[in-house]
Amino acid sequence: MAQASGNTDTRQGILDTAHRIVGAKGFSGVGLNEILAAAGVPKGSFYHYFGSKEAFGEALLENYFQDYLADIDATLAQPGLSHAERLMNYWRKWQATQGSIDYQRKCLAVKLAAEVSDLSEPMRLALKSGTAGIIDRVTGAIEAGVAEGSLKVDGEPRATAEMLYHVWLGASLMAKIVRTDAPFEAAMATTRRTLNPRPA
């Protein structure tokens, strides 16, 4: 049992280290040796934990989204706030995270979507599943906010959630190009106009 736990810890350590490195350099630009050296894992043991680099990439994305979705759940369940306040806090956290230079916190969906979607079907499907989970949660928050009266939207909640996710994903990419917060400020303005947040 202790050996299995050690294997799990080592595997998680590789994924945690890879998130930081891949978040900075991308997936294709990082060699396995670099990740293993940074994680303090012997080079020859990689395939003990992952069947291939592609399988490793899939596991990296699945692990990332598991943590990300848990964080969304916590943000959207924060006590003492309206559903509108919780949802707006989620977008503020997105801006703070994507505007940060801390690659440990960077969104791998933003970083890897264009790079790996045409190269690896398993990684594309991991991205698809993870982003669908985000949209599901935003949809639920919008529905709850409308029912509560703290949000007022003109369209269907799911279509609204999809549109806003696309807006913020695009803002994150543009922010990399212009290296200012202007795309995020525009995304936030669009979000406020779309959701019409108000006191419950």
Side-chain angles (χ1 to χ4, degrees):
M1 182 66 67
Q3 181 65 35
S5 177
N7 287 345
T8 301
D9 291 345
T10 300
R11 184 179 187 276
Q12 188 61 50
I14 295 171
L15 292 173
D16 290 343
T17 300
H19 183 184
R20 174 175 52 82
I21 297 174
V22 172
K25 297 183 176 181
F27 187 74
S28 300
V30 176
L32 296 178
N33 287 344
E34 178 180 358
I35 294 171
L36 293 172
V41 176
K43 293 180 181 179
S45 65
F46 174 82
Y47 294 103
H48 178 71
Y49 302 103
F50 307 99
S52 65
K53 187 178 180 182
E54 182 180 52
F56 159 70
E58 183 182 8
L60 177 64
L61 286 167
E62 289 173 347
N63 182 256
Y64 167 74
F65 280 115
Q66 180 179 5
D67 291 344
Y68 189 95
L69 294 175
D71 188 60
I72 292 179
D73 289 339
T75 298
L76 296 180
Q78 189 174 352
L81 299 177
S82 70
H83 289 289
E85 289 169 325
R86 293 169 183 171
L87 189 53
M88 295 309 295
N89 281 344
Y90 167 65
W91 303 120
R92 291 186 193 100
K93 182 177 287 190
W94 182 318
Q95 177 174 353
T97 301
Q98 290 307 302
S100 168
I101 61 172
D102 181 3
Y103 294 111
Q104 195 79 24
R105 302 170 62 209
K106 287 287 187 180
C107 178
L108 288 185
V110 173
K111 184 69 177 181
L112 300 184
E115 178 187 355
V116 305
S117 290
D118 292 333
L119 301 177
S120 167
E121 184 67 2
M123 291 180 71
R124 184 190 71 80
L125 291 175
L127 282 162
K128 181 180 178 181
S129 175
T131 55
I134 297 170
I135 292 170
D136 285 345
R137 285 157 172 79
V138 174
T139 298
I142 293 173
E143 290 172 343
V146 170
E148 177 186 63
S150 62
L151 296 176
K152 185 178 185 299
V153 299
D154 293 330
E156 290 295 321
R158 176 161 293 277
T160 301
E162 290 174 347
M163 182 274 288
L164 288 176
Y165 183 74
H166 298 163
V167 165
W168 281 88
L169 197 62
S172 298
L173 293 173
M174 284 305 303
K176 291 176 178 292
I177 295 172
V178 300
R179 295 192 176 181
T180 73
D181 278 344
F184 291 124
E185 297 302 331
M188 187 64 79
T190 297
T191 301
R192 289 188 177 279
R193 285 195 304 270
T194 301
L195 296 178
N196 298 295
R198 60 193 66 194

